[in-house]
Amino acid sequence: MGLLGEGINEIIATTRNNAAPIGIIVKDGSLRMVLFHGTHTLENIRRDGWVVANIVHDPVIYVKTAFDDLPEDFFCNETYGDLEVQRLKDASAWIAFKTEIERESGEAAIVRLVPVAEEIIDNSIYPVNRGFNSVIEATVHGTRYVMNRDPWLKQLIDHHASLVRKCGGSREREALELLLGYIME
Amino acid sequence: MGLLGEGINEIIATTRNNAAPIGIIVKDGSLRMVLFHGTHTLENIRRDGWVVANIVHDPVIYVKTAFDDLPEDFFCNETYGDLEVQRLKDASAWIAFKTEIERESGEAAIVRLVPVAEEIIDNSIYPVNRGFNSVIEATVHGTRYVMNRDPWLKQLIDHHASLVRKCGGSREREALELLLGYIME
């Protein structure tokens, strides 16, 4: 599976001028994404037939791409044969995929991924940090919470926010403040 | 800070024939552990004056060392000058510290860490996996839950258990089953 592991890999997916946190499901040797209709990622994949998985260790990028557009200068181009793709400039590693829409339901499309190129840029070691992990959790819950204001999601966000404050570094605390700004009522 | 980052680094601490998951607090350029009285890690540090931080990506090791002793063949020796320390054989990286007990309260001791040696053995890239992260969360909550049976901790453990099943790979699911065995009433 190259750089990805079994289970769901939470990467930042880049398509043409677009970035969003997405899970890549690795199961029985196949790689897939489930993408909701109406998202830029799915529209761009339909048009261009490619997506790049960016492996990122900056918690601020997870929050920003979950709620907002990234400025153009966060992206750079990579060429593989006649395929030109875009990745995040600051990725620790990236994998470019050709895409194939495998199945569609009313809500979402299942996209099969075929890796065509990958590069490791920075293979620093990242020890487990519950603050970093809690930014990811609070971000996932936050994207749902802004839609439905579910009090259980709010409780989980509060729980993870306190873990970010206790266990995170300054970059995690910055990501948390940004997140709380996006989800505030 | 070498391999460690700002905030709390959740590593596996090894002392003589002992391993336990511990947080190393990195703040303002200093490294510290808070260790409770009566724990093997603190007793060994008091006697030997060293501890090794093992950076580990195997979720099963986090669960095992939180609740149980590791067999002797999980350890190996490293020598630095006249200091002989023990680390985990399967660590991705390790850092050996000389220790200094800085302060004691009724409950715990604050131990200052001075790095003396470090080695990176495997610098593979690990994409974010919410299943792996949830094994860590459920393990931390589990070690408290076995003491007090707090229903809120149980709710968090159930929440993270369902994330392990959804997002983890086979090693994460194995770690979860082991954990549930340890905390079962």
Side-chain angles (χ1 to χ4, degrees):
Chain A
M1 293 300 96
L3 299 173
L4 302 180
E6 195 197 351
I8 304 184
N9 298 262
E10 307 293 334
I11 53 80
I12 309 289
T14 46
T15 52
R16 179 78 47 211
N17 295 320
N18 186 254
I22 309 259
I24 295 184
I25 305 161
V26 176
K27 205 182 156 181
D28 304 329
S30 300
L31 293 86
R32 288 183 181 80
M33 287 176 171
V34 177
L35 296 172
F36 290 96
H37 294 308
T39 58
H40 291 306
T41 304
L42 180 53
E43 284 170 10
N44 292 351
I45 281 178
R46 237 187 252 286
R47 186 190 60 213
D48 299 331
W50 61 264
V51 65
V52 176
N54 297 266
I55 296 172
V56 167
H57 296 282
D58 178 0
V60 171
I61 294 287
Y62 275 91
V63 175
K64 268 207 179 119
T65 55
F67 291 95
D68 223 333
D69 293 332
L70 282 187
E72 236 176 78
D73 63 343
F74 276 64
F75 298 87
C76 66
N77 295 328
E78 295 285 348
T79 309
Y80 175 80
D82 57 352
L83 188 69
E84 190 182 76
V85 302
Q86 282 188 322
R87 66 165 175 97
L88 292 182
K89 227 184 248 174
D90 290 342
S92 295
W94 58 271
I95 316 162
F97 299 99
K98 288 199 175 178
T99 57
E100 183 193 312
I101 299 192
E102 191 175 68
R103 205 143 48 84
E104 308 236 18
S105 72
E107 267 200 321
I110 297 175
V111 179
R112 217 184 132 94
L113 307 174
V114 181
V116 292
E118 69 176 35
E119 188 188 10
I120 296 173
I121 294 157
D122 167 25
N123 59 0
S124 300
I125 293 226
Y126 289 85
V128 173
N129 183 299
R130 296 175 72 204
F132 175 85
N133 297 348
S134 282
V135 171
I136 306 293
E137 289 306 301
T139 303
V140 173
H141 301 318
T143 54
R144 287 165 200 170
Y145 179 67
V146 293
M147 316 277 266
N148 63 18
R149 301 287 167 193
D150 176 343
W152 168 239
L153 292 180
K154 181 64 167 54
Q155 217 175 334
L156 288 173
I157 292 167
D158 290 346
H159 167 71
H160 286 293
S162 84
L163 282 176
V164 173
R165 293 193 181 103
K166 184 182 158 207
C167 304
S170 52
R171 198 69 180 159
E172 280 77 27
R173 288 192 299 275
E174 188 183 334
L176 176 65
E177 291 318 308
L178 192 65
L179 171 64
L180 296 178
Y182 283 121
I183 69 177
M184 220 174 293
E185 276 163 285
Chain B
M1 294 301 98
L3 298 174
L4 301 180
E6 194 198 353
I8 305 185
N9 298 262
E10 309 292 337
I11 55 79
I12 309 291
T14 46
T15 52
R16 179 77 47 213
N17 295 322
N18 186 254
I22 309 260
I24 296 186
I25 305 163
V26 176
K27 205 183 157 180
D28 303 331
S30 301
L31 291 86
R32 287 182 180 81
M33 284 175 174
V34 178
L35 296 173
F36 290 97
H37 294 309
T39 58
H40 291 303
T41 303
L42 180 54
E43 284 169 10
N44 293 351
I45 281 178
R46 238 186 251 287
R47 186 190 60 213
D48 300 330
W50 62 263
V51 63
V52 175
N54 297 267
I55 296 173
V56 167
H57 296 282
D58 179 0
V60 171
I61 295 287
Y62 276 90
V63 174
K64 269 207 178 119
T65 55
F67 291 95
D68 222 332
D69 293 331
L70 283 187
E72 236 175 77
D73 63 344
F74 277 65
F75 297 88
C76 66
N77 295 329
E78 295 284 347
T79 309
Y80 175 79
D82 57 350
L83 188 68
E84 190 181 74
V85 302
Q86 281 187 323
R87 67 166 175 96
L88 292 182
K89 226 182 253 172
D90 290 342
S92 294
W94 58 271
I95 316 164
F97 299 100
K98 288 200 174 178
T99 57
E100 183 194 312
I101 299 194
E102 191 176 69
R103 206 143 49 82
E104 306 237 20
S105 72
E107 267 199 322
I110 297 176
V111 179
R112 217 184 130 93
L113 307 175
V114 181
V116 292
E118 68 176 38
E119 187 189 11
I120 296 172
I121 294 157
D122 167 24
N123 59 0
S124 300
I125 293 226
Y126 289 85
V128 173
N129 183 301
R130 297 176 71 204
F132 175 85
N133 298 348
S134 283
V135 171
I136 306 293
E137 290 305 302
T139 303
V140 173
H141 300 317
T143 56
R144 290 167 197 166
Y145 179 68
V146 292
M147 318 275 268
N148 64 18
R149 301 286 166 193
D150 176 342
W152 167 237
L153 292 180
K154 181 63 165 57
Q155 217 175 334
L156 288 173
I157 292 167
D158 290 345
H159 167 70
H160 286 293
S162 85
L163 282 176
V164 173
R165 294 193 181 102
K166 184 183 157 204
C167 303
S170 52
R171 197 70 179 158
E172 281 77 26
R173 286 193 299 274
E174 189 183 333
L176 176 66
E177 291 317 308
L178 192 65
L179 171 63
L180 296 178
Y182 284 122
I183 68 178
M184 222 173 292
E185 279 164 283

